[in-house]
Amino acid sequence: LSIWGWGSLGIVLFLITFGPFVIFYLTFYILCFVGGGLVVTLLFGKTNSEKYLEQCEHSFLPPTSTGVPKCLEEMKREARTIKIDRRLTGANIIDEPLQQVIQFSLRDYVQYWYYTLSDDESFLLEIRQTLQNALIQFATRCWGYSSE
């Protein structure tokens, strides 16, 4: 069978499935869609629709809040004491290399993209603290299993 055979088979199956009046319905729907688009375009026009959209945008958006800038200013003024506990495993011979690994990892994988977003150091300190807590938990559990 050629393309014409498959095409005619598809058309016959389409007509049997949806009925012979589907061609009229599809034509009517397409004409209504195109006609409606033209009517809306001609009635409103570009300038009227832009004015209408601008009016809608301003009516639905609430006024901007002054609380967010105030909160950011308050956070910047807040002096936070930074306490970093450098102990991880309890053995200095292991803790110093681990601290260097954390420092280099933060420098190579986080700081290079984070400083393009913000100058605030608190995010980096939180990541460092999270990594240290994970290492402390890992070390504690390793010591717990090795003594059994």
Side-chain angles (χ1 to χ4, degrees), residues 12-116:
V12 168
L13 288 176
F14 182 79
L15 290 174
I16 290 173
T17 304
F18 297 110
F21 294 107
V22 73
I23 296 171
F24 299 114
Y25 293 139
L26 284 176
T27 307
F28 178 71
Y29 294 149
I30 291 171
L31 285 175
C32 285
F33 179 75
V34 171
L38 287 174
V39 166
V40 167
T41 304
L42 292 176
L43 282 180
F44 285 104
K46 184 180 178 194
T47 55
N48 288 342
S49 63
E50 285 176 352
K51 287 179 188 176
Y52 179 74
L53 285 174
E54 186 177 316
Q55 197 176 35
C56 288
E57 285 177 4
H58 292 303
S59 66
F60 294 126
L61 292 177
T64 57
S65 172
T66 58
V68 174
K70 229 182 213 185
C71 185
L72 288 174
E73 185 179 317
E74 184 91 14
M75 287 172 56
K76 286 181 183 175
R77 275 191 276 142
E78 224 175 71
R80 201 171 127 193
T81 59
I82 300 170
K83 295 184 287 183
I84 298 177
D85 188 11
R86 298 188 63 82
R87 293 176 296 164
L88 297 172
T89 63
N92 283 339
I93 197 164
I94 298 172
D95 286 351
E96 288 306 314
L98 281 176
Q99 286 292 345
Q100 285 181 350
V101 167
I102 291 173
Q103 178 184 354
F104 293 149
S105 299
L106 285 175
R107 182 193 68 193
D108 295 342
Y109 297 110
V110 177
Q111 286 178 354
Y112 83 94
W113 61 264
Y114 178 70
Y115 283 135
T116 60

Side-chain angles (χ1 to χ4, degrees), residues 116-131:
T116 60
L117 300 176
S118 174
D119 294 332
D120 189 22
E121 295 285 330
S122 63
F123 176 71
L124 297 173
L125 292 173
E126 290 293 328
I127 289 180
R128 175 183 284 277
Q129 191 65 39
T130 303
L131 285 172

